[in-house]
PDB file of all heavy atoms in Angstrom:
ATOM      1  N   PRO A  53      -2.246  33.231 -39.853  1.00  0.00           N
ATOM      2  CA  PRO A  53      -3.367  32.944 -38.893  1.00  0.00           C
ATOM      3  C   PRO A  53      -3.430  31.551 -38.390  1.00  0.00           C
ATOM      4  O   PRO A  53      -3.620  31.280 -37.230  1.00  0.00           O
ATOM      5  CB  PRO A  53      -4.606  33.242 -39.722  1.00  0.00           C
ATOM      6  CG  PRO A  53      -4.183  34.207 -40.830  1.00  0.00           C
ATOM      7  CD  PRO A  53      -2.729  33.772 -41.151  1.00  0.00           C
ATOM      8  N   THR A  58      -2.408  27.656 -34.056  1.00  0.00           N
ATOM      9  CA  THR A  58      -1.720  26.490 -33.548  1.00  0.00           C
ATOM     10  C   THR A  58      -1.134  26.864 -32.114  1.00  0.00           C
ATOM     11  O   THR A  58      -1.210  26.015 -31.190  1.00  0.00           O
ATOM     12  CB  THR A  58      -0.590  26.107 -34.509  1.00  0.00           C
ATOM     13  OG1 THR A  58      -1.165  25.729 -35.701  1.00  0.00           O
ATOM     14  CG2 THR A  58       0.179  24.909 -33.935  1.00  0.00           C
ATOM     15  N   LEU A 163      -9.549   4.214 -33.835  1.00  0.00           N
ATOM     16  CA  LEU A 163      -8.475   3.225 -34.105  1.00  0.00           C
ATOM     17  C   LEU A 163      -8.334   2.890 -35.454  1.00  0.00           C
ATOM     18  O   LEU A 163      -7.305   2.662 -36.078  1.00  0.00           O
ATOM     19  CB  LEU A 163      -8.737   2.061 -33.180  1.00  0.00           C
ATOM     20  CG  LEU A 163      -7.752   0.859 -33.353  1.00  0.00           C
ATOM     21  CD1 LEU A 163      -6.295   1.368 -32.937  1.00  0.00           C
ATOM     22  CD2 LEU A 163      -8.164  -0.363 -32.540  1.00  0.00           C
ATOM     23  N   LYS A 194     -10.162  -8.683 -23.723  1.00  0.00           N
ATOM     24  CA  LYS A 194      -9.947  -7.753 -24.801  1.00  0.00           C
ATOM     25  C   LYS A 194      -9.126  -6.615 -24.340  1.00  0.00           C
ATOM     26  O   LYS A 194      -8.145  -6.087 -24.974  1.00  0.00           O
ATOM     27  CB  LYS A 194     -11.238  -7.231 -25.428  1.00  0.00           C
ATOM     28  CG  LYS A 194     -12.015  -8.328 -26.231  1.00  0.00           C
ATOM     29  CD  LYS A 194     -13.162  -7.615 -26.965  1.00  0.00           C
ATOM     30  CE  LYS A 194     -13.827  -8.692 -27.829  1.00  0.00           C
ATOM     31  NZ  LYS A 194     -14.993  -8.045 -28.572  1.00  0.00           N
ATOM     32  N   LEU A 205       4.274  -2.428 -28.900  1.00  0.00           N
ATOM     33  CA  LEU A 205       4.603  -1.235 -29.659  1.00  0.00           C
ATOM     34  C   LEU A 205       5.684  -0.401 -29.052  1.00  0.00           C
ATOM     35  O   LEU A 205       6.568   0.072 -29.677  1.00  0.00           O
ATOM     36  CB  LEU A 205       3.289  -0.444 -29.842  1.00  0.00           C
ATOM     37  CG  LEU A 205       3.438   0.792 -30.848  1.00  0.00           C
ATOM     38  CD1 LEU A 205       3.796   0.285 -32.240  1.00  0.00           C
ATOM     39  CD2 LEU A 205       2.093   1.457 -30.886  1.00  0.00           C
ATOM     40  N   ASP A 213       9.637   6.353 -21.865  1.00  0.00           N
ATOM     41  CA  ASP A 213       9.257   7.569 -21.037  1.00  0.00           C
ATOM     42  C   ASP A 213       7.902   7.365 -20.462  1.00  0.00           C
ATOM     43  O   ASP A 213       7.445   6.247 -20.269  1.00  0.00           O
ATOM     44  CB  ASP A 213       9.278   8.791 -21.897  1.00  0.00           C
ATOM     45  CG  ASP A 213       8.463   8.665 -23.148  1.00  0.00           C
ATOM     46  OD1 ASP A 213       7.518   7.809 -23.201  1.00  0.00           O
ATOM     47  OD2 ASP A 213       8.711   9.372 -24.137  1.00  0.00           O
ATOM     48  N   ASN A 222      -1.909   1.528 -16.216  1.00  0.00           N
ATOM     49  CA  ASN A 222      -3.257   1.107 -16.542  1.00  0.00           C
ATOM     50  C   ASN A 222      -3.394  -0.496 -16.576  1.00  0.00           C
ATOM     51  O   ASN A 222      -4.392  -1.032 -16.141  1.00  0.00           O
ATOM     52  CB  ASN A 222      -3.704   1.629 -17.895  1.00  0.00           C
ATOM     53  CG  ASN A 222      -3.917   3.135 -17.855  1.00  0.00           C
ATOM     54  OD1 ASN A 222      -4.386   3.642 -16.850  1.00  0.00           O
ATOM     55  ND2 ASN A 222      -3.588   3.835 -18.902  1.00  0.00           N
ATOM     56  N   GLU A 248       9.566   8.180 -12.097  1.00  0.00           N
ATOM     57  CA  GLU A 248      10.528   8.895 -11.217  1.00  0.00           C
ATOM     58  C   GLU A 248      11.926   8.736 -11.632  1.00  0.00           C
ATOM     59  O   GLU A 248      12.838   9.180 -10.920  1.00  0.00           O
ATOM     60  CB  GLU A 248      10.348   8.235  -9.807  1.00  0.00           C
ATOM     61  CG  GLU A 248       9.094   8.508  -9.117  1.00  0.00           C
ATOM     62  CD  GLU A 248       8.963   8.111  -7.683  1.00  0.00           C
ATOM     63  OE1 GLU A 248       9.786   7.148  -7.317  1.00  0.00           O
ATOM     64  OE2 GLU A 248       8.288   8.711  -6.908  1.00  0.00           O
ATOM     65  N   LEU A 364     -27.141   3.891   1.955  1.00  0.00           N
ATOM     66  CA  LEU A 364     -27.294   3.029   0.883  1.00  0.00           C
ATOM     67  C   LEU A 364     -28.382   3.504  -0.137  1.00  0.00           C
ATOM     68  O   LEU A 364     -28.475   3.164  -1.227  1.00  0.00           O
ATOM     69  CB  LEU A 364     -27.648   1.613   1.323  1.00  0.00           C
ATOM     70  CG  LEU A 364     -27.554   0.504   0.338  1.00  0.00           C
ATOM     71  CD1 LEU A 364     -26.143   0.320  -0.160  1.00  0.00           C
ATOM     72  CD2 LEU A 364     -28.128  -0.849   0.944  1.00  0.00           C
ATOM     73  N   TYR A 620      43.785  -6.301  40.207  1.00  0.00           N
ATOM     74  CA  TYR A 620      45.186  -6.847  40.073  1.00  0.00           C
ATOM     75  C   TYR A 620      45.928  -6.422  38.858  1.00  0.00           C
ATOM     76  O   TYR A 620      47.172  -6.332  38.882  1.00  0.00           O
ATOM     77  CB  TYR A 620      45.143  -8.401  40.054  1.00  0.00           C
ATOM     78  CG  TYR A 620      44.384  -9.006  41.226  1.00  0.00           C
ATOM     79  CD1 TYR A 620      43.223  -9.710  41.044  1.00  0.00           C
ATOM     80  CD2 TYR A 620      44.911  -8.804  42.576  1.00  0.00           C
ATOM     81  CE1 TYR A 620      42.539 -10.222  42.087  1.00  0.00           C
ATOM     82  CE2 TYR A 620      44.236  -9.377  43.643  1.00  0.00           C
ATOM     83  CZ  TYR A 620      43.039 -10.050  43.443  1.00  0.00           C
ATOM     84  OH  TYR A 620      42.369 -10.598  44.542  1.00  0.00           O
ATOM     85  N   ASP A 658      47.859 -21.184  36.617  1.00  0.00           N
ATOM     86  CA  ASP A 658      47.111 -22.342  36.229  1.00  0.00           C
ATOM     87  C   ASP A 658      45.700 -22.084  36.706  1.00  0.00           C
ATOM     88  O   ASP A 658      45.442 -22.169  37.924  1.00  0.00           O
ATOM     89  CB  ASP A 658      47.712 -23.622  36.761  1.00  0.00           C
ATOM     90  CG  ASP A 658      46.941 -24.873  36.293  1.00  0.00           C
ATOM     91  OD1 ASP A 658      45.999 -24.678  35.427  1.00  0.00           O
ATOM     92  OD2 ASP A 658      47.378 -25.925  36.637  1.00  0.00           O
ATOM     93  N   GLN A 676      28.503 -24.742  33.117  1.00  0.00           N
ATOM     94  CA  GLN A 676      27.046 -24.796  33.195  1.00  0.00           C
ATOM     95  C   GLN A 676      26.325 -24.370  31.930  1.00  0.00           C
ATOM     96  O   GLN A 676      25.323 -24.916  31.582  1.00  0.00           O
ATOM     97  CB  GLN A 676      26.524 -23.905  34.378  1.00  0.00           C
ATOM     98  CG  GLN A 676      25.020 -23.918  34.588  1.00  0.00           C
ATOM     99  CD  GLN A 676      24.637 -23.100  35.777  1.00  0.00           C
ATOM    100  OE1 GLN A 676      25.401 -22.875  36.711  1.00  0.00           O
ATOM    101  NE2 GLN A 676      23.425 -22.522  35.753  1.00  0.00           N
ATOM    102  N   GLY A 679      30.136 -24.370  28.110  1.00  0.00           N
ATOM    103  CA  GLY A 679      31.253 -23.645  27.482  1.00  0.00           C
ATOM    104  C   GLY A 679      32.531 -24.011  28.161  1.00  0.00           C
ATOM    105  O   GLY A 679      32.673 -24.901  28.980  1.00  0.00           O
ATOM    106  N   PHE A 692      40.935 -13.149  29.080  1.00  0.00           N
ATOM    107  CA  PHE A 692      40.098 -14.269  29.461  1.00  0.00           C
ATOM    108  C   PHE A 692      39.098 -14.485  28.365  1.00  0.00           C
ATOM    109  O   PHE A 692      38.362 -13.520  28.047  1.00  0.00           O
ATOM    110  CB  PHE A 692      39.356 -14.019  30.747  1.00  0.00           C
ATOM    111  CG  PHE A 692      40.313 -14.159  32.012  1.00  0.00           C
ATOM    112  CD1 PHE A 692      41.241 -13.284  32.335  1.00  0.00           C
ATOM    113  CD2 PHE A 692      40.268 -15.354  32.705  1.00  0.00           C
ATOM    114  CE1 PHE A 692      42.053 -13.428  33.427  1.00  0.00           C
ATOM    115  CE2 PHE A 692      41.020 -15.533  33.864  1.00  0.00           C
ATOM    116  CZ  PHE A 692      41.961 -14.545  34.224  1.00  0.00           C
TER     117      PHE A 692
END
Side-chain angles (χ1 to χ4, degrees):
T58 300
L163 177 64
K194 287 188 176 181
L205 186 60
D213 54 22
N222 291 324
E248 290 189 335
L364 192 67
Y620 304 116
D658 185 0
Q676 183 179 328
F692 282 77

